[in-house]
Amino acid sequence: MTVQSNIDTSTEDQMANAIRALAMDAVQAANSGHPGAPMGTADIATVLFNRFMKIDPTADKWADRDRFVMSAGHGSMLVYAINHLLGYDDMGMEQIKNFRQMGYRTAGHPEYGHAKGIEVTTGPLGQGFSAAVGMALAERMSNARYGDDLVDHYTYVIAGDGCLMEGVSHEAIDFAGHHGLGHLIVMWDDNQITIDGSTDVSTSMNQQMRFEAAGWHVQSVDGHDKDAVAAAIEAARKVTDKPSMIACRTIIGFGAPNKQGSHDVHGAPLGDAEIAAARVALDWPHDPFTVPQEVYDAWRKVSARGRETRLEWEKRLGGHPKQDAFETDQANPDARALDAAINAYKARLSADAPKVATRKASQMALEIVNGTLPNTVGGSADLTGSNLTKTGGMKDVTAADFSGNYVRYGVREHGMAAIMNGLVLHGGFVPYGGTFLMFADYARGAIRLAALMGVRVIYVMTHDSIGLGEDGPTHQPVEVLASYRAMPNLWVFRPADVVETAEAWQAALEMDRTPSMLSLSRQNLPTLRTNHTDTNMTAKGAYVLRDVSGARDVTLIATGSEVEIAVNAAEKLAAEGIKAAVVSAPCFEAFAAQPKAYRDTVLGDAPRVGVEAAVQQGWDALLGCNSAFVGMTSFGASAPADQLYEHFGITADAVAAAAKKLI
Ligand SMILES: Cc1ncc(C[n+]2csc(CCOP(=O)(O)OP(=O)(O)O)c2C)c(N)n1
Ligand SMILES: [Mg+2]
C-alpha cells in the first residue's frame, strides 16, 4: 500500500529542494556542518516521507509510527529540515537558523531527546544503522505479541558509506538477515565519497553482494530518480521475510553546481558564491530560511495523513482485548510489584545465605524479575551458559517465531549493545544482555550512546576480575571498571553477594534514564548480608556492612568479590584489637549522588583502605588522603583464582597489613 500525498514531480522536487536550501543555508550560518549528505539524500528522503512514512508530528511517541533513522548523523540538517517542514512544534525556523548553537535543539549531530522525531542519537557511524536493526526486531517482537492491528510499522534507515564500513554494521547486517527482519528498509547513500575523497582509496567492497550474502533483499537504483526510489521502497515493503537494502546511487551535495560530487561538500559550508549558484541550479529563488507556503503545504499533507492514520489506530487500541497489556509494556516497569517481589526474595536469601557466584545470583534475581515484569528481553553474545542470562520459561526469538523473549545475539558484543539501544528506543521492552566484562570494550561505542541518550539498557557483565582464573589475562578485566565508571550516566554495579545482586537488578530496573552495567563474579561468594532489610542498600552506592563499637581505627572499603576479603581482614585486625569497619561500595555513581552527610557517615574520618581486584583509578573520591589501595597494577595471569589473589597480593593479610601501616 503506497500512500502518496504529492506525487507530482515538480512538487516533490520543490519539497526536496527545501531540504537542500535549509541545509546549505544553516551550515553557512553556523559556519560549520555537513551540507553534502542532506543535499545528496534529499530526493530519497522526500520520496520516503511523501509517499510512505507513517508519522504524526502531533504525537511523536505514537507506538505504531514508522521509525526513520538518519544513520549518517553528520547529515543532521536533513532531519532538522524535514522535521521543520513537517511542522514539529519544537522545530521552528529559529532552530534551523541557530543550527549547532548553544541552547538550541539543532545540535551538530541529531541527539535523542533534544527534539521530537529524533529516534536515536547518531553521528558515531554505524550506530544508527545497528540500533535500527534493534528497532526492527522490536517491531516484529511486538507484532508477534499484539498482532497487525496494533503493531505494523517499518524502520527506514539512510546509511552512508561510513556506516557500512564500520565493523558494527557487519554484526548488525548478519543479525538482521538471520532474523529475517522484514520491516527494515535501509537506503544506502551510495555517493562513493567519504572525507578522504573517493571510496576507491579505501574499499573495494561489493555492498550488494555483502548484504545478499547475509540474507537481505537487495536493489540498486538511481537515488535522484524519485519514481525509481519509490518503486524500490514499494518492492522492499512487499518482502516480508527479509530486511531490504536499496543501494541509491547519489551525488553528494546535489545541486551545488561546482562542488557536488566531491568530498569538498562533505563537511564544510559551500560559501556564498556556491550557494548563490545552487539557488540558480535548483531553481530555488527564495531568500535564505524562506520556504514558500505551497511547499510547507505539501509537507504538511504528510503530517495530516499520519495524523489520520494515528487516530484510526487509537480507535483500534481503545477496547482492544490486549489494550491493557500493550499499554503496560509501553510504560515504565511496575516498581511496586518489583519491590514486593525483590523484598520477599531478599528475605529468603538472608535466611538461607547461599554461597554462589554473583553471576549465578544474577540469574536467581532474574528469575524473580522475569517472573514479575512481562517485557524484559534477555540475551547474550554467545555466552548464555556463562553469563547465566536465561531463566526458566524464556523462549528464543527466531525468524520463524518472534513471540519469545530471549535473543541469541551471536558473537557480536557491539551489535548486541547497539541492537539493545534499538529495542529500548522502540519502546515496549526492557532489554538486558550479557558478555564477559572484558569484552564490554568491544561494545563501548553503543554503550556510550546508551549513556548519552539516557536509556534503560542493562549489561550483564560476568567474569569480572582475575577471579575468573585460568582463562588468563586476555579475559581478566583490570582497567575496565575504572573506564566505565568514568563514563557519565552509566551506573556500574559490582555487588558482593546474592542480596546485593538482587538489589542491583532492582536499582537498575527502576532507573529509566540511565543504563546500568552489572559486574559479576565467576567465583562463588558467601552471603554477607544475613540481616534482612527492605531498604535497597546497593542503591545507596555504599554503606557500612560491618560496623565497630565506638570510634573506628580504620575503614576498609571494598566492592564485589573483594568485600569478603575486607571482612576477613577486619576480623584479623579485630583479633589484634584494631577496630576496622567494612564498607561495601557496590556503585560509586549511586554513592556520589547521596547527600554529603550520608557519605561522610559511611566513610568516617579514620584512615581508609580500598580493596578491589582492579586498578586504583577512580577510587580517589572514596579514599581521601590518609589511605591505601590493595588491587591490581598490571595485567593478570593464567592460574587458579585463589593462587592469583595470592600472587597479586589481594588477600586479607595484605589488607590488614596496609591498614596497620596507616594507623
Ligand atoms: C565512528 C566514526 N568514525 C569517524 C567519524 C568521522 N566521520 C564523520 S563523516 C565521515 C565520513 C563518512 O562518509 P559517508 O558516510 O560516506 O558520508 P558522506 O561523506 O557521503 O556524507 C567520517 C569519517 C564518525 N562520525 N564516526
Ligand atoms: Mg559517502
Side-chain angles (χ1 to χ4, degrees):
M1 164 202 62
T2 315
V3 230
Q4 302 183 344
S5 286
N6 310 282
I7 43 163
D8 159 31
T9 316
S10 68
T11 306
E12 269 191 342
D13 284 349
Q14 294 299 298
M15 291 172 78
N17 286 340
I19 297 174
R20 294 189 171 99
L22 291 175
M24 66 185 184
D25 289 339
V27 170
Q28 191 66 31
N31 199 24
S32 85
H34 302 77
M39 294 178 79
T41 58
D43 291 320
I44 306 167
T46 297
V47 169
L48 171 65
F49 276 80
N50 190 37
R51 307 197 200 184
F52 300 96
M53 277 296 282
K54 180 174 81 166
I55 38 139
D56 177 2
T58 66
D60 62 302
K61 294 291 179 193
W62 169 30
D64 197 34
R65 70 191 182 280
D66 287 339
R67 308 305 197 265
F68 172 66
V69 174
M70 180 60 178
S71 188
H74 55 280
S76 56
M77 265 313 302
L78 179 88
V79 179
Y80 303 143
I82 289 172
N83 288 357
H84 168 75
L85 293 163
L86 288 169
Y88 279 89
D89 63 6
D90 63 350
M91 198 47 71
M93 193 61 96
E94 78 288 354
Q95 294 291 338
I96 307 291
K97 287 183 180 165
N98 288 287
F99 177 48
R100 295 184 153 231
Q101 304 308 306
M102 181 71 84
Y104 289 86
R105 298 189 180 91
T106 40
H109 295 83
E111 293 197 43
Y112 175 74
H114 281 215
K116 296 175 183 175
I118 298 173
E119 301 285 1
V120 53
T121 296
T122 55
L125 299 171
Q127 292 295 338
F129 177 100
S130 309
V133 169
M135 293 177 192
L137 176 67
E139 193 272 346
R140 286 294 83 193
M141 289 173 62
S142 221
N143 173 274
R145 293 174 185 214
Y146 296 106
D148 289 345
D149 267 3
L150 297 186
V151 184
D152 185 13
H153 54 267
Y154 286 83
T155 302
Y156 296 103
V157 182
I158 293 181
D161 302 299
C163 291
L164 300 194
M165 280 193 213
E166 289 291 350
V168 69
S169 76
H170 177 78
E171 300 181 20
I173 289 168
D174 189 5
F175 181 96
H178 181 75
H179 285 83
L181 301 180
H183 281 217
L184 174 64
I185 299 178
V186 173
M187 284 151 290
W188 168 33
D189 177 24
D190 175 15
N191 61 19
Q192 300 181 355
I193 292 287
T194 62
I195 291 178
D196 273 7
S198 166
T199 48
D200 280 354
V201 302
S202 58
T203 179
S204 308
M205 179 62 72
N206 182 323
Q207 293 291 0
Q208 284 90 330
M209 287 173 70
R210 177 182 179 226
F211 278 79
E212 266 166 23
W216 287 55
H217 169 253
V218 175
Q219 305 171 80
S220 300
V221 296
D222 172 351
H224 299 295
D225 178 340
K226 295 190 186 64
D227 286 335
V229 171
I233 295 175
E234 184 83 66
R237 285 162 55 106
K238 289 198 178 114
V239 179
T240 54
D241 59 347
K242 288 178 177 189
S244 279
M245 192 278 264
I246 306 171
C248 302
R249 186 69 184 88
T250 61
I251 297 168
I252 190 169
F254 184 96
N258 307 301
K259 291 190 170 179
Q260 66 180 24
S262 135
H263 67 137
D264 294 341
V265 295
H266 163 88
L270 296 180
D272 290 334
E274 183 68 1
I275 287 180
R279 283 196 143 73
V280 174
L282 294 169
D283 191 19
W284 184 265
H286 318 292
D287 288 340
F289 304 112
T290 304
V291 176
Q293 191 56 45
E294 65 266 24
V295 177
Y296 276 124
D297 290 346
W299 275 99
R300 301 292 158 89
K301 281 189 198 167
V302 175
S303 306
R305 181 186 75 214
R307 186 177 154 77
E308 266 174 44
T309 313
R310 196 254 306 171
L311 293 173
E312 286 160 20
W313 179 87
E314 274 173 6
K315 269 191 214 145
R316 290 202 299 279
L317 176 68
H320 193 285
K322 292 185 176 170
Q323 179 179 8
D324 282 352
F326 184 82
E327 288 175 346
T328 300
D329 279 359
Q330 301 293 317
N332 268 327
D334 181 347
R336 282 174 104 185
L338 189 65
D339 287 350
I342 293 279
N343 285 333
Y345 168 61
K346 270 169 55 181
R348 286 203 303 278
L349 291 174
S350 293
D352 296 351
K355 182 168 184 174
V356 296
T358 48
R359 62 180 171 135
K360 178 65 185 169
S362 168
Q363 186 182 43
M364 291 159 61
L366 275 172
E367 293 283 358
I368 306 295
V369 168
N370 291 334
T372 308
L373 305 180
N375 60 342
T376 46
V377 178
S380 164
D382 198 49
L383 287 168
T384 296
S386 299
N387 302 144
L388 300 177
T389 33
K390 197 168 187 185
T391 60
M394 284 190 116
K395 190 170 105 177
D396 284 1
V397 175
T398 68
D401 179 2
F402 286 98
S403 68
N405 53 1
Y406 194 80
V407 181
R408 302 290 181 171
Y409 287 106
V411 192
R412 304 184 187 101
E413 297 82 10
H414 200 177
M416 172 174 74
I419 289 166
M420 289 200 290
N421 285 345
L423 284 170
V424 72
L425 289 164
H426 176 275
F429 297 103
V430 176
Y432 69 84
T435 181
F436 291 151
L437 180 62
M438 192 58 251
F439 305 133
D441 278 1
Y442 271 48
R444 179 177 285 271
I447 294 174
R448 187 172 189 277
L449 272 192
L452 177 62
M453 290 189 283
V455 291
R456 177 178 26 227
V457 175
I458 302 172
Y459 310 102
V460 182
M461 300 304 190
T462 69
H463 297 61
D464 72 345
S465 74
I466 52 167
L468 67 84
E470 293 85 344
D471 273 344
T474 54
H475 286 49
Q476 291 162 353
V478 175
E479 75 290 14
V480 180
L481 286 168
S483 78
Y484 281 100
R485 285 177 183 145
M487 190 180 279
N489 197 40
L490 174 75
W491 284 27
V492 178
F493 291 91
R494 189 160 188 259
D497 71 356
V498 266
V499 176
E500 282 193 6
T501 306
E503 291 178 339
W505 269 107
Q506 183 183 23
L509 287 161
E510 290 181 0
M511 288 190 295
D512 66 337
R513 303 294 299 272
T514 303
S516 300
M517 183 175 287
L518 308 189
S519 166
L520 303 166
S521 75
R522 172 177 184 264
Q523 71 275 34
N524 288 340
L525 302 172
T527 299
L528 300 171
R529 285 272 297 285
T530 44
N531 294 323
H532 173 70
T533 167
D534 273 1
T535 308
N536 187 328
M537 300 306 293
T538 299
K540 292 178 181 289
Y543 63 95
V544 180
L545 177 71
R546 295 283 161 91
D547 213 345
V548 295
S549 60
R552 299 177 190 174
D553 294 320
V554 63
T555 301
L556 310 179
I557 310 170
T559 76
S561 42
E562 285 72 68
V563 178
E564 178 190 10
I565 293 172
V567 168
N568 292 340
E571 276 162 19
K572 284 178 190 282
L573 290 167
E576 298 181 39
I578 298 169
K579 291 197 259 181
V582 177
V583 168
S584 178
C587 182
F588 289 13
E589 298 81 4
F591 190 59
Q594 297 301 314
K596 184 171 184 309
Y598 175 77
R599 284 184 279 135
D600 289 347
T601 316
V602 171
L603 296 176
D605 45 22
R608 299 169 199 160
V609 181
V611 196
E612 186 172 67
V615 298
Q616 183 178 345
Q617 207 171 334
W619 271 79
D620 305 6
L622 292 183
L623 290 182
C625 300
N626 191 12
S627 65
F629 182 75
V630 176
M632 297 292 291
T633 53
S634 67
F635 289 120
S638 172
D642 48 352
Q643 291 175 29
L644 289 172
Y645 273 90
E646 285 289 335
H647 177 78
F648 289 105
I650 306 173
T651 60
D653 284 338
V655 174
K660 282 198 276 184
K661 266 198 202 162
L662 294 174
I663 54 182

